[in-house]
Amino acid sequence: MNIAFETLAGSADRVNEDWVAASPDAVIVLDGVTAPRVASPGCTHPVSWFTQQIGGRLFVLLGEAIDMQNVLATAIDQVAELHRESCNLASPGVPAAAVAMVRRRGDGVLDYLVLADTVIVIDTGHEIHVVSDSRVDQAAPEALAATRDEAIGTPEHQAAVARMSVEQLKKRNVPGGYWVAAVEREAAFHAFVGQVPVGDVRRVAIFTDGASRAVDTFQQMDWAACLDYLQEHGPRGLIRHVRSIEETDPAGTRWPRFKVSDDATVAVVEM
């Protein structure tokens, strides 16, 4: 597998909460979930600490002969043990992350997993297979809609996003809600997983939502065109393209969103 990736913070004054790593046979992309504004966050660790910790453990575990959901469940358990004594892991404010992973196995199969706001796009040469998880958008639809009525950067927009985060948090990692990697190992078994014969795969791309917005928010291209763009310009070129689009709509008037620019990560694999 030939692999290239790029990650960039949403702004120069913020820590990048995304995380990406690759080996010759696997790629992991994480999108840290911005900590919700709750009265008692419960955990003293930043989101970037969580993505680094769980990412490193996923990287090791993917080399073992266990299925993708159990890889994620084990990593969640291991990171929870790191701060179980120092933090209140029952608090809704614990760090969390969306997860996307692919792994080439020795028996000629490509495994994939998606949990929360990440996207994997698989091109077989005959069709484009898109794996995404938008369940969080159904957690508090009215509160989500309210964020789209206000201009980015205004107090009204900030308040609407805060209210939405609180409402969505009530549905996090519970049956009928949405699932992210945090403390509950059960979340791993709600991830979308699948397998594709390696011989059928031409190329694969993995996105956090700060990068996938070129397609799913701005609708400036479809997924096939996005893969072609990546092939020509690379991950860095795609992120620059996303940033240039964002700069034309800083208030979110044309494309409502939570931030002008979000952390953005892209990994592309050519088989």
Side-chain angles (χ1 to χ4, degrees):
M1 302 197 306
N2 295 318
I3 303 167
F5 58 79
E6 184 69 34
T7 185
L8 184 68
S11 61
D13 60 346
R14 291 183 60 251
V15 173
N16 188 351
E17 295 175 340
D18 285 1
W19 189 92
V20 58
S23 72
D25 294 306
V27 182
I28 305 164
V29 170
L30 305 178
D31 185 348
V33 178
T34 300
R37 298 177 182 178
V38 295
S40 178
C43 181
T44 60
H45 299 94
V47 173
S48 57
W49 173 87
F50 180 78
T51 55
Q52 291 166 9
Q53 295 297 327
I54 197 168
R57 284 156 180 79
L58 289 169
F59 191 80
V60 172
L61 290 164
L62 278 177
E64 301 181 8
I66 53 178
D67 66 81
M68 298 282 267
Q69 289 177 319
N70 274 296
V71 164
L72 180 54
T74 302
I76 290 171
D77 284 344
Q78 290 177 350
V79 176
E81 287 304 314
L82 291 178
H83 60 143
R84 190 176 301 281
E85 296 300 322
S86 61
C87 301
N88 176 15
L89 301 190
S91 167
V94 296
V99 183
M101 305 187 290
V102 297
R103 174 180 62 184
R104 179 176 62 181
R105 297 193 332 222
D107 58 356
V109 170
L110 185 77
D111 293 325
Y112 62 80
L113 177 148
V114 166
L115 181 68
D117 284 340
T118 51
V119 181
I120 295 178
V121 181
I122 301 171
D123 178 9
T124 67
H126 302 289
E127 64 177 355
I128 303 293
H129 182 47
V130 181
V131 188
S132 62
D133 181 358
S134 59
R135 286 174 288 188
V136 66
D137 293 339
Q138 307 305 315
E142 293 182 0
L144 174 61
T147 68
R148 296 169 175 158
D149 295 333
E150 310 294 344
I152 295 172
T154 62
E156 292 80 7
H157 183 263
Q158 293 171 352
V161 172
R163 286 193 297 269
M164 179 204 67
S165 297
V166 170
E167 291 302 310
Q168 288 181 338
L169 199 58
K170 298 175 183 177
K171 300 289 185 69
R172 189 170 94 175
N173 288 358
V174 296
Y178 69 101
W179 300 85
V180 295
V183 176
E184 304 84 357
R185 74 185 327 268
E186 181 186 354
F189 301 100
H190 292 271
F192 298 129
V193 295
Q195 299 175 342
V196 183
V198 170
D200 292 347
V201 178
R202 177 185 171 203
R203 52 190 178 176
V204 179
I206 309 174
F207 306 81
T208 60
D209 60 353
S212 66
R213 57 177 52 177
V215 177
D216 53 29
T217 299
F218 303 146
Q219 299 181 338
Q220 296 297 292
M221 58 184 80
D222 61 18
W223 288 115
C226 185
L227 292 177
D228 290 341
Y229 194 96
L230 280 168
Q231 190 165 6
E232 182 175 355
H233 301 283
R236 181 173 298 180
L238 179 66
I239 293 175
R240 286 175 176 169
H241 181 56
V242 169
R243 293 288 186 260
S244 69
I245 298 171
E246 292 165 340
E247 290 170 0
T248 69
D249 183 41
T253 304
R254 183 176 181 184
W255 297 295
R257 52 200 191 276
F258 306 139
K259 309 169 187 174
V260 176
S261 299
D262 199 0
D263 298 341
T265 302
V266 185
V268 59
V269 181
E270 294 193 9
M271 307 301 290

